[in-house]
Amino acid sequence: MPTRLTEAERSALATRLPAWALVDGRDAIRREFRFADFGAAFGFMTRVALLAEKHDHHPDWSNVWNTVRIELTTHDAGGLSERDVRLALAIDALLA
């Protein structure tokens, strides 16, 4: 079972995941992605869906036209875990 991040690991998130932010009132991280249009946003979501399946870790997310919002937390751990960090890094790599 995954374990929650330690305070030291949590403090390092700003360096490891500079585009992601902690979510107020929830032990999760969030990032918004903006694209040229709905098709580009949906294409990105498709790539993330395949990635999430590979990682067996699925995001809470939403899409409104050209904007995709992704939140990551590990329900089995009761909050943020290294699984969230690995998936966030992999999602960021899709845009590199």
Side-chain angles (χ1 to χ4, degrees), residues 28-44:
I29 53 175
R30 174 186 298 147
R31 181 170 177 192
E32 285 193 4
F33 301 84
R34 295 194 187 272
F35 299 92
D37 55 29
F38 177 76
F42 192 83
F44 172 72

Side-chain angles (χ1 to χ4, degrees), residues 41-64:
F42 192 83
F44 172 72
M45 289 182 77
T46 302
R47 292 190 308 276
V48 171
L50 295 171
L51 191 62
E53 280 294 305
K54 181 179 175 183
H55 282 252
D56 192 29
H57 190 51
H58 305 92
D60 294 332
W61 60 359
S62 65
N63 166 242
V64 177

Side-chain angles (χ1 to χ4, degrees), residues 71-94:
E71 287 190 11
L72 299 173
T73 191
T74 303
H75 300 286
D76 292 346
L80 284 170
S81 76
E82 187 60 30
R83 293 182 78 191
D84 302 304
V85 174
R86 284 193 305 266
L87 185 54
L89 289 167
I91 290 168
D92 286 352
L94 291 174

